[in-house]
Amino acid sequence: MSVADRLAPFGTSIFTDMTRLAIEHDAINLGQGFPDWDGPGFVKLAAARSLEGGHDQYPPSHGVPELREAIAARYGPLFGRDLDVSTEITVTAGCTEALAASFLGLIDPGDEVVVIEPFYDSYPVNLALAGAVPRYVTLRPPLFEIDEAEMRAAFNDRTRAVVVNTPHNPTGRLFSAEEVALIAELCRRYDAIAITDEVYEEIIFDGEHRRLAATEGMWDRTVTLSSLGKTFSLTGWKVGWAIAPPHLTAGIRAAHQFLTFTTPTPVQFGTAEALRAPDTFYSELRSSYRSKRELLMAGLEEVGFEVYPPQGTYFMMAGHAAFGQPDDRAFCRYLVETVGVVAIPPSVFYHRPEDGASLVRFAFCKDEATLTDAVQRMQKLAKG
Ligand code: PMP
Ligand code: GLN
């Protein structure tokens, strides 16, 4: 194997590993977060129309104007400002590329970056590629709240950025007004920027999604990232975007132009149509996910898990102590081998794996029959 030293420590993504295991065991995959139904017809039709003609060459590097305008129309009111499509919006290959472009384009080697853990798995890798020094702030069960003292201690004069994922994968937290205000206060005090990953912004059950970019004094120092995949059940399309003031957009674009240069044209036109969906689209999305959440939560509790109810996202964390396995990896192996259900071991989302060892993450972006089948299978798990 020849892998550069920068990347060698990170191995294969847990999502690849667990989906492969699901296929090998013909198991129900509640691991990797992708819906098991097709995306909306009106969005696919718009992409298909674009495929029919006239859009086969490179689009502009930072996105087709139709899509940037649709992004501005949807997000402007949420931020309480008019967004400039030529200097404040960049279309990327999913939020994954938007994250990479933000880290590589805005962070210098040696800069410190505050990372809330459990983290999305690409953050530490991107930070390593950027040469940044991570400072971790840990969320712990049962509430997964930000510890104020820990967050304050993580910031200092070398802090360049904080990465904030809300609604949060894997805990399902929506950070509260107080938590967001604390992060904003520290960014202002230490002249740091916030890179916010809001890909689950529309999948919320309890409470409100609070945007750092819309928080007092934060527009000028916030990069807001999101994507099409979760809201429109089109995770394979890989269209994302970065919204940021011009001075931060400059850094993101400096990296984006040499990472991918641009994003495939037909899916950009489809995405523009998606973002023009009526409000009912979003309320139906939430109500459908609410039923799935209730179903899985009740099922897992009955089986004997300690469930930590998510306020948003399509993930659910649970404690597996009742089943007598030494840690999360052992539990996930036992789960697939004995009952044919795949979940994610959350220790991979912590810099000290022991912090996630008592937990397991289930995805509920699956049809209700699949979730019911998974719960029935898990009823056979032995306790103790
Ligand atoms: N951030 C988080 C928190 C995620 O869960 C995901 C989903 N894979 C991503 C970013 C990546 O999003 P995309 O598929 O748009 O690249
Ligand atoms: N975001 C998805 C999850 O957390 C997976 C993304 C991926 O496969 N890279 O399950």
Side-chain angles (χ1 to χ4, degrees), residues 35 199 227-239 241 314:
V199 294
S227 69
L228 172 80
K230 325 290 167 180
T231 307
F232 292 92
S233 306
L234 288 161
T235 60
W237 281 31
K238 298 300 293 184
V239 184
W241 45 89
Y314 47 53

Side-chain angles (χ1 to χ4, degrees), residues 94-96 99 120 123 165 169 197 199-200 227 230 238:
C95 183
T96 306
L99 284 159
Y120 183 56
Y123 303 167
N165 168 217
N169 172 11
D197 171 345
V199 294
Y200 299 101
S227 69
K230 325 290 167 180
K238 298 300 293 184

Side-chain angles (χ1 to χ4, degrees), residues 13 15 31-33 120-121 169 200 230 315 361:
S13 150
F15 305 116
Q32 191 177 25
Y120 183 56
D121 68 343
N169 172 11
Y200 299 101
K230 325 290 167 180
F315 301 113
R361 188 196 83 172

Side-chain angles (χ1 to χ4, degrees), residues 117-291:
E117 64 175 1
F119 42 71
Y120 183 56
D121 68 343
S122 77
Y123 303 167
V125 185
N126 288 163
L127 289 172
L129 293 177
V133 179
R135 298 278 305 230
Y136 293 102
V137 172
T138 310
L139 307 179
R140 297 183 175 82
L143 297 178
F144 297 107
E145 287 171 337
I146 293 173
D147 180 280
E148 179 177 344
E150 227 183 287
M151 183 58 87
R152 287 190 185 281
F155 276 76
N156 61 57
D157 293 332
R158 294 180 300 281
T159 307
R160 167 65 172 146
V162 56
V163 193
V164 183
N165 168 217
T166 187
H168 182 259
N169 172 11
T171 67
R173 279 293 321 282
L174 262 62
F175 292 122
S176 66
E178 292 72 25
E179 289 168 313
V180 169
L182 172 67
I183 294 168
E185 176 206 319
L186 292 167
C187 285
R188 289 191 302 262
R189 174 169 322 158
Y190 292 101
D191 192 21
I193 62 171
I195 298 173
T196 74
D197 171 345
E198 307 189 13
V199 294
Y200 299 101
E201 62 196 327
E202 299 297 345
I203 305 175
I204 57 180
F205 312 109
D206 288 331
E208 214 180 296
H209 172 47
R210 294 170 201 282
R211 296 172 191 277
L212 265 160
T215 304
E216 172 98 44
M218 285 302 289
W219 166 255
D220 273 340
R221 52 177 76 251
T222 303
V223 173
T224 301
L225 308 179
S226 192
S227 69
L228 172 80
K230 325 290 167 180
T231 307
F232 292 92
S233 306
L234 288 161
T235 60
W237 281 31
K238 298 300 293 184
V239 184
W241 45 89
I243 306 172
H247 66 283
L248 297 179
T249 293
I252 295 164
R253 288 185 181 174
H256 163 74
Q257 64 180 335
F258 295 122
L259 280 172
T260 55
F261 185 70
T262 190
T263 304
T265 318
V267 290
Q268 291 200 47
F269 282 102
T271 304
E273 188 64 26
L275 291 176
R276 293 191 282 264
D279 288 348
T280 49
F281 175 87
Y282 297 94
S283 49
E284 282 161 20
L285 177 82
R286 274 193 277 277
S287 100
S288 148
Y289 272 121
R290 185 181 295 278
S291 315

